[in-house]
Amino acid sequence: MNKATTDTRINESEERHFATLVANYQNMVYNTSLGILQNEQDAEEATQDVFIKVHKGFAKFGEQSSLRTWIYKIAINTALDAYRKNRRTKQKGFGFLFGNNTLAEEPANFHHPGVVLDQKENAAILFKALNKLPEKQKLAFLLQKTEGLNVQEVAEIMETTAMAITSLLARAKENLRTIIGDTYKLY
Amino acid sequence: MTTNMKPQNESKIQSIMNSLDGCTSAEPSPYLLTRVMAAMANKNDMQNGWSKLLNVITRPAFALGGLILIVILNLFVYLNYNDSNSFNAASVTKTITVTDDFTANVNSFYEIENVEP
């Protein structure tokens, strides 16, 4: 792809390069978005937006990080923006007329298509609990579990140190145990 | 907290925590590239001509600004209309004086033809 191009209109050769890039990274982007948004349609839309941003921003890509890390960052930011927007929309509604404007609608169980069949129910519980974690903890946990990244790679994507990620993951796991225990009265 | 937990509950939590182990990658729709290209083409069209103007004027900030302007204009007209309707003796006298001073004194044909010596 021509790096000088900022216009979203592309010629035939660029189109081929862009198609290769999409083919190489679409699963990675879609999976990341799916973990954060927990909705297949929203994840598809976020994936589309990510590739439009990648194409538009390719001229600005400075190669300080690898292309993969750069695309991961765009995917995470796009999915998190969409997630926050969805939550705000759900919270607003017409609840204020009945005095329950602070309660967000409880999302339906999310069944990740990549989870093995006998773990589907457990994974749905885990995804629900993940939504109650602080954003950074949720993100670190998802990148490690669903993307299979190691601590160093997660640290690079989240622009922090490996030590900080280790501590973030430990807190995420501890919080998840508490949330699951409290929700399902296991304590 | 974990110390008070029954062993079967502990294993249940552990099983939930490990439920994403061995999770395979989910795949997007096979038409993703086509949709991305279509979305980019659509964005280009949107950035041309009238669409650009439409994009600007449909922004919430623009609409809100317009609404505030209309409200201010309405208030201004309403307040002025009320002022001009209120009875003010001084202004009436002034108007009469001005009318007297500047009225064109057009004589009728009768007066022109029968001028008194």
Side-chain angles (χ1 to χ4, degrees):
Chain A
M1 195 166 18
N2 178 11
K3 282 189 75 181
T5 313
T6 48
D7 186 15
T8 45
R9 205 184 301 276
I10 56 177
N11 62 37
E12 210 175 294
S13 133
E14 279 180 343
E15 194 175 322
R16 257 184 283 121
H17 281 99
F18 185 62
T20 314
L21 186 137
V22 173
N24 287 344
Y25 293 102
Q26 61 178 5
N27 284 5
M28 178 190 100
V29 172
Y30 179 69
N31 254 303
T32 310
S33 308
L34 190 63
I36 295 169
L37 291 163
Q38 298 179 15
N39 178 298
E40 289 178 41
Q41 202 181 335
D42 290 348
E44 284 256 352
E45 276 170 28
T47 307
Q48 266 187 58
D49 289 346
V50 170
F51 284 112
I52 292 171
K53 284 178 187 170
V54 165
H55 187 268
K56 220 175 166 183
F58 203 73
K60 290 177 205 157
F61 170 56
E63 289 174 25
Q64 295 99 343
S65 56
S66 71
L67 182 63
R68 183 166 167 263
T69 307
W70 181 63
I71 295 176
Y72 255 129
K73 282 179 193 170
I74 296 175
I76 287 165
N77 287 332
T78 308
L80 281 178
D81 281 347
Y83 178 71
R84 291 183 199 124
K85 201 174 160 189
N86 284 352
R87 268 177 74 152
R88 272 202 301 271
T89 315
K90 277 176 188 167
Q91 274 174 343
K92 277 180 188 171
F94 287 99
F96 66 93
L97 289 175
F98 310 102
N100 64 340
N101 54 338
T102 50
L103 288 172
E105 194 184 318
E106 190 73 13
N109 280 352
F110 168 64
H111 296 287
H112 192 289
V115 173
V116 285
L117 200 63
D118 62 335
Q119 287 294 336
K120 291 254 181 214
E121 284 309 314
N122 282 344
I125 294 171
L126 184 62
F127 273 112
K128 216 169 213 176
L130 272 168
N131 285 337
K132 291 177 182 166
L133 285 185
E135 251 172 29
K136 279 187 175 176
Q137 290 181 22
K138 175 182 172 180
L139 201 57
F141 188 86
L142 280 173
L143 286 173
Q144 198 195 39
K145 287 281 181 178
T146 62
E147 294 298 304
L149 302 181
N150 61 39
V151 172
Q152 189 56 46
E153 287 170 317
V154 177
E156 211 174 297
I157 292 163
M158 291 180 71
E159 294 176 344
T160 184
T161 60
M163 198 111 106
I165 295 297
T166 310
S167 138
L168 204 61
L169 283 168
R171 270 181 283 143
K173 282 171 189 167
E174 190 54 48
N175 286 340
L176 278 173
R177 292 177 69 86
T178 311
I179 293 164
I180 294 165
D182 286 349
T183 311
Y184 298 94
K185 309 274 183 282
L186 296 174
Y187 286 113
Chain B
M1 213 178 237
T2 46
T3 48
N4 302 334
M5 208 189 318
K6 292 175 194 164
Q8 66 266 35
N9 289 346
E10 174 59 42
S11 86
K12 171 74 180 163
I13 288 184
Q14 206 48 50
S15 145
I16 292 169
M17 293 289 290
N18 296 334
S19 60
L20 290 180
D21 291 350
C23 171
T24 56
S25 179
E27 284 179 22
S29 128
Y31 307 108
L32 181 77
L33 178 67
T34 317
R35 284 166 63 182
V36 171
M37 299 304 272
M40 285 203 298
N42 200 22
K43 249 189 181 163
N44 269 331
D45 290 344
M46 280 290 283
Q47 276 159 10
N48 294 332
W50 288 105
S51 314
K52 217 171 185 177
L53 179 73
L54 208 72
N55 255 358
V56 174
I57 61 171
T58 50
R59 278 181 194 161
F62 196 90
L64 197 71
L67 192 73
I68 291 168
L69 189 72
I70 290 168
V71 169
I72 290 170
L73 279 174
N74 271 300
L75 270 173
F76 180 75
V77 169
Y78 175 76
L79 291 173
N80 274 357
Y81 178 76
N82 271 1
D83 280 351
S84 63
N85 267 2
S86 60
F87 182 75
N88 185 338
S91 80
V92 171
T93 318
K94 203 175 169 185
T95 310
I96 291 170
T97 317
V98 171
T99 314
D100 285 347
D101 287 348
F102 292 97
T103 307
N105 199 6
V106 181
N107 297 319
S108 65
F109 280 109
Y110 177 82
E111 285 169 325
I112 292 167
E113 285 167 7
N114 302 294
V115 183
E116 287 175 12

